Amino acid sequence: MNNYFSIKDVDSIDTWVNEAIEIKKNPLSDKTLGADKTIGLLFFNPSLRTRLSTQKAALNLGMNVIVMNFTGEGWSLEYGDGAVMDQGNSEHVKEAAQVVSQYCDVLAIRAFAKLENRDDDYEEKVLKSFIKYTDIPVINMESATGHPLQALTDAITITENKPIHKPKIVLSWAPHPKALPQAVANSFVEMAQQMEADFVITHPVGFELASQITNEVPIDYNQENALKDADFVYVKNWSSYEEYGKTSQDQNWKITKEKMKLTNNAKFMHCLPVRRNVVIDDAVIDSDNSIVIEQANNRTYAAQLVLKKILETT
Amino acid sequence: MNNYFSIKDVDSIDTWVNEAIEIKKNPLSDKTLGADKTIGLLFFNPSLRTRLSTQKAALNLGMNVIVMNFTGEGWSLEYGDGAVMDQGNSEHVKEAAQVVSQYCDVLAIRAFAKLENRDDDYEEKVLKSFIKYTDIPVINMESATGHPLQALTDAITITENKPIHKPKIVLSWAPHPKALPQAVANSFVEMAQQMEADFVITHPVGFELASQITNEVPIDYNQENALKDADFVYVKNWSSYEEYGKTSQDQNWKITKEKMKLTNNAKFMHCLPVRRNVVIDDAVIDSDNSIVIEQANNRTYAAQLVLKKILETT
Amino acid sequence: MNNYFSIKDVDSIDTWVNEAIEIKKNPLSDKTLGADKTIGLLFFNPSLRTRLSTQKAALNLGMNVIVMNFTGEGWSLEYGDGAVMDQGNSEHVKEAAQVVSQYCDVLAIRAFAKLENRDDDYEEKVLKSFIKYTDIPVINMESATGHPLQALTDAITITENKPIHKPKIVLSWAPHPKALPQAVANSFVEMAQQMEADFVITHPVGFELASQITNEVPIDYNQENALKDADFVYVKNWSSYEEYGKTSQDQNWKITKEKMKLTNNAKFMHCLPVRRNVVIDDAVIDSDNSIVIEQANNRTYAAQLVLKKILETT
């Protein structure tokens, strides 16, 4: 595999999930695969799970890890072709990407949506520029519009917890005090369409995700109706795609214990971090049906599978 | 050993000190003990000695090290049970602690006192929350009210430098332009009570440490009297416990060469960093009696002993 | 070798360049030389190439790497002898340097010029204080007045690309929106004087580098004249030494394709980061004659050579 930019880079989600579950059983079975190989983790935004789980995955494979925070440790980058760089940005991504790729064998990059201009965000200029100007594999650690390591993690977690019957998966929007990107929801929607499942999205009017991502996935504007008989409730806030970056704190959409009673004893999932008692009630996340901690644990194995595939083919 | 939260987790200070001194003679003798084990160092505050010496100790044991600065690199954490998280904090420690512990085999955490509310600080909510919500060992790299790696270091340093007779150890308060926590002093006092020594604390009226920590240790409000015949002078500023967080710059309490003449040619100790010519005069810290550099060196062996004990029992 | 503070620490630039080129052919040939040795990288300023290439070099030699950002992660340091430290600085370099050197086998330090006071900068108090107070080797990762790892890199890159005849090398000043240190130019000038080359410096009146550095190197205030028949054009902005820290954005000095036509099909070099279309036009840096990316690649081998020499002699 070359880059892991999008969940679309997964050729078969079932195969990948099974491979990741094998890795999870014996995480050190490939501990020399990455010998003398170096991964550079480039952060343009904060990170906890991704930062630690990706490092752990690389260490499990015997790789060297170099972490670089572009906020504070390096130079602010320019992305515009032909830009006259007489303002705040000190270095063009053309140089930065080529240079960094010479010191590393694999790059992993986090660069959130700015939520200022939809076209800018959906152009994915940071990740795509690095991919364009490097000749080493690039892994997306959450870009402006996608979080495919999270989506692969979610597929693993659903598979581990799925009932015998074809599961019903509900992606539910939830309120949030701060405008958040659509990245996690986008990649989850792309992933879920590849799974054998009944998949429904529920959110308030005006919070539709991009139609090129949701495709034919049914949208139910009535959350309680959507939750009925669900086997998995995946909760996530995202800001509006249409009125780009607008958020809502409408507490009617918070996930409560009462709403979970409408489900088929559903497992509760969230990518974390989560705002307790805003996005979900304590009673839900602290219940036995919550699998958010195991979900976060699977981040390591998703990252390790992606790294393993890259190391085996480069 | 499970956690190293407090100097009270040391069952026998003499035994531990001797073990640490053995490690110091041959720091690489256990260099495979930590193979395939990962320590996560979590910093909520600045750190120089602790950051570097703990990494060095882990490397000496062959461990992988992941460093995480919560200031800037991650999310700000909520600690309140039942909190409605609609303000600045993005993640609850319940999730953060459980998640991080899945990527690591040992955690070490630094989280200073805020000096705003005494009860909050003495509840030790950061360290205790991590201990509560993780099932891996947690090491205190200075918490709100204690710095047990420093105190263990101090015990090593005193043992290495002690005279034949039972030593007199004086802990002297010193002035400081900035309000500092009581953590170092607290742990030193707890440690010194376990040593075979005459131990005296001297400070201005109003700077008494918590009585549950000082117990029966004599307090002398006359610094010059306290210093008489001392074999070790351990200097440290702390802000008031009673008028919580109040500091003082009273230069009458600065340690000078004249005051050191009152001692029994005492060794001078300080945990560092130290404000020269405010806390102590150059003439004292630059004298042959100053052992602050060797003291800092011993930080590695204190950390390595604690890590070794954890690795041997998990 | 003890310290690598200045390009003057290179006894024979030709020999060193050849050794570095050998390392580049087989970067892992000394991968056990640094076993159980730890390098501490101390950053007082941002860094991308230096941060990553020095880590990579150390990893190639099998060393442990500890990275420390003094901006944010540690304490602000005091450098003045006899200072009464009742202001913002928490720790004196006397302690910091001695302490850090106990946890590491080699230190590498980045500390830029402040461009406020020329004497202060040219005293090199940060690097020289660390050298003074440690007894382990110290490597300059760009100090106030020099960047010798860059200059060694530049010598490697020139050697790899030089024509059969004795090359003409032109160091040309270029405009910049922000006042920059003289460090890169200084070390380049010191290095170039050691090479078999015709070496010319060109810059506007008032941007003379320190005469103790330029010595007898010819200065041409006419850029186009200087560029004639050049084999290498090394471009770099620096602020004024005379009117210390004054900069200029005079676009007449920008390197354009037209100016490059005056040369002998010269290779274009720059240490990066570079402001496109301010310092140089896109058409130049994107041309086949631009060797800036390979130049940046050579940073690894320059650092690795220096580290190797240190490891072999300590």
Side-chain angles (χ1 to χ4, degrees), chain C residues 163-228:
Chain C
I164 294 165
H165 61 266
K166 185 162 93 171
K168 178 178 177 185
I169 301 171
V170 181
L171 169 63
S172 178
W173 183 93
H176 203 279
K178 206 180 129 199
L180 296 185
Q182 291 121 26
V184 170
N186 285 346
S187 290
F188 187 82
V189 170
E190 292 182 315
M191 179 277 293
Q193 289 174 76
Q194 294 188 38
M195 293 195 88
E196 191 72 22
D198 290 325
F199 180 42
V200 182
I201 309 173
T202 180
H203 55 67
V205 172
F207 285 86
E208 293 76 13
L209 294 165
S211 60
Q212 69 270 27
I213 286 168
T214 53
N215 299 309
E216 307 299 314
V217 178
I219 294 166
D220 193 333
Y221 295 106
N222 182 322
Q223 189 189 37
E224 301 202 350
N225 195 52
L227 291 173
K228 271 178 201 150

Side-chain angles (χ1 to χ4, degrees), chain A residues 36 64 66 68 70 73-75 82-87 89-92 94-95 98-100 102-103, chain C residues 31 46-49 51-53 55-56 59 69 177 273-278 282 285-286 293 296-297 300:
Chain A
D36 299 329
N64 298 318
I66 295 177
M68 167 93 204
F70 270 79
E73 292 186 351
W75 313 104
V84 177
M85 293 172 57
D86 57 3
Q87 301 300 314
N89 293 331
S90 299
E91 178 149 29
H92 200 284
K94 279 192 192 182
E95 278 73 61
Q98 289 181 80
V99 166
V100 168
Q102 296 180 113
Y103 307 140
Chain C
K31 66 177 277 195
S47 174
L48 175 62
R49 272 152 292 277
R51 183 185 295 271
L52 270 56
S53 64
Q55 283 188 67
K56 183 62 178 291
L59 292 170
N69 296 306
V274 67
R275 302 272 187 147
R276 283 172 169 259
N277 303 309
V278 175
D282 281 344
I285 192 168
D286 290 334
I293 302 301
N297 189 29
T300 300

Side-chain angles (χ1 to χ4, degrees), chain A residues 111-176:
Chain A
F112 288 172
K114 288 196 161 44
L115 297 180
E116 290 161 5
N117 178 301
R118 189 170 82 182
D119 287 346
D120 283 357
D121 284 342
Y122 275 72
E123 271 175 19
E124 289 283 10
K125 64 180 180 177
V126 179
L127 265 284
K128 292 219 166 153
S129 296
F130 271 91
I131 289 172
K132 180 175 177 183
Y133 295 116
T134 65
D135 51 10
I136 62 170
V138 173
I139 296 173
N140 181 344
M141 294 199 296
E142 187 172 343
S143 66
T145 71
H147 195 352
L149 285 174
Q150 182 65 52
L152 178 54
T153 298
D154 299 335
I156 297 167
T157 311
I158 288 172
T159 302
E160 289 181 325
N161 287 278
K162 74 179 173 196
I164 295 166
H165 61 268
K166 185 162 91 169
K168 179 178 178 185
I169 302 171
V170 180
L171 170 63
S172 178
W173 184 92
H176 203 278

